[in-house]
Amino acid sequence: MLWLCNSNGFIACCQSFFKPALFALLFAFIAGCSDVEQAPVLNEGIIYCSEGAPNAFNPQLVTSGTTIDATSRQLYNRLLDFNAQNYDKVPSLAKSWHVTKDGRYITFYLRHDVSFHQTEYFTPTRTLNADDVIFSFNRILDVNNPFYKSAKGQFPFFQSIDFDALVDTIERIDDYTIRFHLNYPQSSFLANLAAPFSVILSKEYADYLVANQLPLTRLDSMPIGTGPFKFKSYQVGSLIRYARHENYWRKNVQIKQLLFNISPRNTGRLTKLFTHECDVISYPIALQEIRSRTDLELEQVTSFNVAYMAFNTQKPPFDNPVVRRAIAHAINKQAIISAVYFDQADIADSLLPKASWAYDSTINGIEYSVSKAKRLLRDAGLENGFQIDLWAMPVQRAYNPNALKMAKLIQADLAQIGVTVNIVRYEWSTFLKKLARGEHQSVLIGWLADHPDPDNFFSPLLSCAAVETGSNRAQWCNRKFDRLLKKSLLTNDLSERQALYTQAQQMLIQEIPLLPIAHAKRSQARLSHINGNILTAIGGISFEDVHKQVEKQ
């Protein structure tokens, strides 16, 4: 094993892990490599070591959890938020709202004196008003809007929920009142407006870009929002620098600077935590070692998430549901829970986690049975075996801490039924682009819910509209399934909705466009003198409430 100090004080490790007995000696040595005490940002701010780089600085454009973590609750606000304890919808930029009895007209009453970010590249002359809210959603709805075109019309979350079919118009009542006119009622509409994608942008900034003939893509790459932090700079694939929003409407933000240190290697992040080069790290390994140290704290939340294997139903042999079922029977989920999650997850027998009110415990998942898998392959005429490509994510996510390890376990499982698995890996941004284009044959991916409504697990992942946006990784469009989803959104009767979602879950068990594998806990580690809530069960992370005590020497 070799440990090296480089000019940045970071540690490079040429072995993926090390024996616990060597911790004390190794980290006593590598602590001397670090110059972090001389870095002013450690006294005035927070360094968060993240697992990957964002794909954009506007979450309207993507569904990547890495992007959501880096942007949504740091740079922006939404009309509504969720209560962290009971997930009720609570006011944010809208101080209140009113829904008509027929559910088709929703009026929002905006806060006054909400300031936008002042940066080196833009100085606002007014506070938030109705024009900003209308602009933020009309750029998604209006194909002739220049900012629709600058994003190439790609708004995957909104397109997966048929937002343009739902919203007829957005009416400006006055400077601080707007009204959504819906073509039909939708029970998840308010929840979708509280989701991390529904951020409010500055129309004045957009107008400034147009007037000065600047690239319109700057709206999404050099962001202006109302959130607790404002954008300073981005070293691509390396470092994001944010600064405190001095005029933040909700509270005085305690930390002056927030740095996202992009550290894809899990051992690298762990090392930086142990040497105090990072204040907080995402997706830690060596959980027991972290728990044993007095200078560190381990946090975990039970997230609304699911890890799954998606079969591209547009490509053989996965265009045959019998083959999909055979593969599903051959995968040992319990072994995956033990080896990949270290038992910090539940076996998934449905897309919905057990905490969801629509989860139906009477529905049996796909049992592990090699004999059934072999029999089904004989029925499909594939008893002599075949090869498949299985794409594995190159980054850790809350729902899957190690996709490569999971892929290798599945590779061994499927070898027992004569199926050869070729594991395919790409750099994260390339992986996502190719995945959205449907180039994969099968993939290990997952979903971290944006809000607690069950529709958030179904429409973005499996609706026909989601095929067009690329977020339906199974490329599966079933009109009967779509009708169930749409019917469930037309009523607020929970018992009726639950019955419809039960039918949807039964259909997925029959068709198996994807195989749910695990519902994981999300973990995060921090230095013990970093205080405040960062992790949430839904909707990404937030540093808004975080503060830093002076570290004891």
Side-chain angles (χ1 to χ4, degrees):
M1 182 186 305
L2 177 64
W3 292 89
L4 300 174
C5 300
N6 65 22
S7 60
N8 294 320
F10 292 155
I11 306 300
C13 174
C14 65
Q15 182 170 313
S16 62
F17 205 57
F18 31 79
K19 296 180 180 180
L22 297 179
F23 268 119
L25 178 62
L26 288 171
F27 286 106
F29 168 70
I30 61 177
C33 298
S34 176
D35 297 324
V36 294
E37 294 82 4
Q38 300 175 17
V41 69
L42 290 187
N43 297 322
E44 300 177 353
I46 297 290
I47 295 180
Y48 175 71
C49 282
S50 66
E51 78 291 349
N55 303 96
F57 283 92
N58 180 353
Q60 290 180 332
L61 309 189
V62 295
T63 56
S64 161
T66 305
T67 300
I68 297 304
D69 284 350
T71 65
S72 184
R73 300 190 186 280
Q74 321 315 329
L75 296 170
Y76 302 99
N77 298 113
R78 292 139 298 281
L79 291 174
L80 310 175
D81 277 332
F82 290 109
N83 180 295
Q85 279 70 49
N86 58 18
Y87 310 126
D88 284 346
K89 292 171 284 293
V90 295
S92 183
L93 294 180
K95 60 184 179 181
S96 61
W97 62 92
H98 175 263
V99 182
T100 56
K101 287 184 178 180
D102 64 3
R104 291 186 56 205
Y105 302 94
I106 299 95
T107 305
F108 293 95
Y109 304 93
L110 305 179
R111 297 183 188 277
H112 295 218
D113 302 321
V114 173
S115 297
F116 282 100
H117 301 152
Q118 180 174 331
T119 67
E120 294 178 357
Y121 51 88
F122 179 70
T123 299
T125 64
R126 64 167 177 80
T127 56
L128 175 134
N129 65 28
D131 295 332
D132 301 304
V133 178
I134 294 171
F135 166 75
S136 299
F137 293 105
N138 272 348
R139 72 122 13 154
I140 298 167
L141 297 168
D142 182 5
V143 297
N144 295 314
N145 188 305
F147 290 93
Y148 178 98
K149 296 177 180 178
S150 70
K152 299 180 180 179
Q154 298 300 305
F155 306 97
F157 173 78
F158 296 95
Q159 289 158 339
S160 71
I161 60 173
D162 281 334
F163 193 72
D164 59 342
L166 171 65
V167 179
D168 181 19
T169 58
I170 308 174
E171 178 185 3
R172 189 187 199 279
I173 306 298
D174 59 38
D175 282 354
Y176 297 98
T177 311
I178 62 152
R179 180 173 295 141
F180 280 83
H181 296 241
L182 305 185
N183 290 314
Y184 46 87
Q186 187 184 75
S187 55
S188 66
F189 178 72
L190 291 176
N192 284 327
L193 290 191
F197 311 100
S198 300
V199 295
I200 303 304
L201 312 174
S202 166
K203 183 179 186 300
E204 185 185 16
Y205 179 45
D207 291 342
Y208 167 82
L209 295 175
V210 172
N212 288 276
Q213 297 183 322
L214 295 170
L216 302 191
T217 53
R218 288 192 183 184
L219 184 75
D220 306 310
S221 63
M222 299 176 67
I224 296 292
T226 60
F229 300 96
K230 59 186 179 182
F231 180 81
K232 291 278 288 183
S233 63
Y234 177 40
Q235 297 174 30
V236 177
S238 176
L239 186 72
I240 308 169
R241 189 180 296 271
Y242 295 142
R244 175 172 63 191
H245 179 19
E246 300 89 346
N247 299 312
Y248 185 47
W249 62 273
R250 184 143 46 196
K251 60 177 64 177
N252 292 324
V253 179
Q254 295 295 304
I255 54 178
K256 292 184 179 180
Q257 298 186 66
L258 173 62
L259 269 65
F260 274 62
N261 183 318
I262 299 164
S263 306
R265 289 177 58 86
N266 51 21
T267 51
R269 293 196 303 279
L270 184 69
T271 300
K272 291 176 185 179
L273 179 72
F274 284 152
T275 58
H276 293 204
E277 293 181 53
C278 293
D279 296 297
V280 187
I281 66 170
S282 64
Y283 309 113
I285 57 174
L287 303 188
Q288 289 303 116
E289 175 65 19
I290 292 170
R291 288 190 180 100
S292 72
R293 292 180 57 131
T294 58
D295 61 329
L296 305 178
E297 291 184 2
L298 180 70
E299 297 176 277
Q300 288 185 313
V301 296
T302 301
S303 296
F304 277 67
N305 65 44
V306 63
Y308 60 85
M309 179 179 176
F311 307 106
N312 190 333
T313 59
Q314 299 301 311
K315 291 185 177 182
F318 296 132
D319 54 346
N320 184 344
V322 175
V323 177
R324 302 196 295 264
R325 179 171 292 276
I327 297 297
H329 276 301
I331 293 175
N332 187 342
K333 294 183 187 179
Q334 184 57 64
I336 290 173
I337 297 296
S338 298
V340 176
Y341 297 90
F342 301 102
D343 296 319
Q344 298 297 305
D346 294 327
I347 289 177
D349 50 26
S350 167
L351 272 181
L352 296 178
K354 293 179 181 178
S356 172
W357 56 260
Y359 174 80
D360 190 335
S361 60
T362 66
I363 296 177
N364 295 320
I366 305 297
E367 66 175 311
Y368 172 54
S369 174
V370 174
S371 60
K372 287 185 178 180
K374 289 181 176 179
R375 185 171 66 250
L376 287 167
L377 288 186
R378 285 197 301 271
D379 293 344
L382 294 171
E383 63 272 20
N384 294 325
F386 53 93
Q387 294 190 23
I388 65 168
D389 289 341
L390 175 59
W391 290 23
M393 295 184 302
V395 300
Q396 288 178 281
R397 299 304 306 140
Y399 47 76
N400 191 336
N402 193 333
L404 179 59
K405 189 173 186 179
M406 185 183 291
K408 289 179 178 178
L409 290 170
I410 292 174
Q411 184 182 53
D413 285 340
L414 298 190
Q416 297 183 70
I417 61 171
V419 176
T420 301
V421 174
N422 304 311
I423 299 173
V424 178
R425 303 266 280 174
Y426 292 102
E427 177 272 329
W428 184 225
S429 61
T430 303
F431 179 90
L432 291 174
K433 289 175 183 176
K434 286 178 167 290
L435 195 60
R437 292 197 293 262
E439 295 180 15
H440 60 291
Q441 189 178 25
S442 64
V443 63
L444 292 175
I445 194 75
W447 184 252
L448 182 62
D450 312 301
H451 58 71
D453 192 281
D455 183 69
N456 192 243
F457 279 92
F458 292 119
S459 289
L461 300 184
L462 288 168
S463 67
C464 293
V467 173
E468 299 301 319
T469 67
S471 64
N472 184 333
R473 311 306 191 185
Q475 300 282 301
W476 181 73
C477 174
N478 185 298
R479 298 299 177 185
K480 183 178 178 181
F481 183 81
D482 258 27
R483 287 194 292 271
L484 286 173
L485 299 186
K486 290 176 180 178
K487 189 175 180 180
S488 72
L489 294 173
L490 292 174
T491 177
N492 288 311
D493 185 322
L494 286 187
S495 61
E496 185 178 349
R497 293 190 73 198
Q498 188 168 35
L500 291 165
Y501 285 131
T502 292
Q503 292 181 54
Q505 291 171 80
Q506 290 170 336
M507 185 176 294
L508 293 180
I509 290 292
Q510 294 300 315
E511 293 288 326
I512 318 181
L514 53 77
L515 176 67
I517 295 173
H519 301 296
K521 291 183 178 180
R522 181 168 185 176
S523 299
Q524 173 183 274
R526 65 169 82 181
L527 303 182
S528 57
H529 62 282
I530 307 299
N531 299 320
N533 296 321
I534 301 173
L535 281 181
T536 60
I538 53 176
I541 60 175
S542 172
F543 286 88
E544 179 177 326
D545 296 323
V546 175
H547 64 280
K548 188 174 193 175
Q549 294 178 334
V550 176
E551 186 175 4
K552 294 180 181 179
Q553 300 297 319

